[in-house]
Amino acid sequence: MKKPSGTIHSSAIRGTASGVFFMALFGTLWAYTGIMGLQEFAAPLWLAAAVAIGVVLFIGGASLIRGSRKIKDQSSVTDARPGKRIAILFNIVFAAEGAAIAIAVAVCNAAGRTALIPIVTALIVGIHFFPLAFLFRVKFYHLTGALLCLLALATLLFLPVEASFGAAHINAYMSVVGLGSALILWGTGTVIWFMGKRLLKVSKL
């Protein structure tokens, strides 16, 4: 990551914090999906650990918000325009992602292929990170999107829908895609958190 140039605005820090919050929330939701896929192997301890990781990331995002309040911006109308444009485009991308997932789920249900829902969802989520990388100028999102897509495709190509371990059974699609996606999103959230901390540090120079 290159050294930031120019003035660091508090809105940039808050935007970074929002990214951390999103990764924390959706990473934890994916972890819940993965844990449910473990079936007999699922345990409250796994869920508690997932929630704990999400909470840590939320605390990290909150620390960025607190730090942004200490930045004295030289506000202007021209400064606000790019932020509004980014917010509008983000809402469009997010809405398109949600609509695509809803359509995919409906199609999978209608075709009787509900086992594919985690894979298709992860693929859509992965794809949506590519426009976000351009929109927020965060190159790391390209890696996040690629990893999610590769995880979904590799699971579809190389793993069975279900696996047995003695008398116990797991939903391989749910568990692998769910836990794998959680790790990818949590890792992304951690990277964004440290990016935000670096911006805060630069703003004090």
Side-chain angles (χ1 to χ4, degrees), residues 145-165:
L147 288 176
L148 286 169
C149 291
L150 286 173
L151 172 66
L153 293 175
T155 301
L156 177 64
L157 294 175
F158 301 112
L159 293 180
V161 177
E162 295 185 351
S164 300
F165 298 91

Side-chain angles (χ1 to χ4, degrees), residues 49-64:
V51 171
I53 294 173
V55 169
V56 169
L57 284 175
F58 263 102
I59 292 173
S63 69
L64 295 179

Side-chain angles (χ1 to χ4, degrees), residues 14-26:
R14 290 194 296 271
T16 304
S18 297
V20 177
F21 291 145
F22 269 92
M23 302 304 163
L25 174 61
F26 290 104

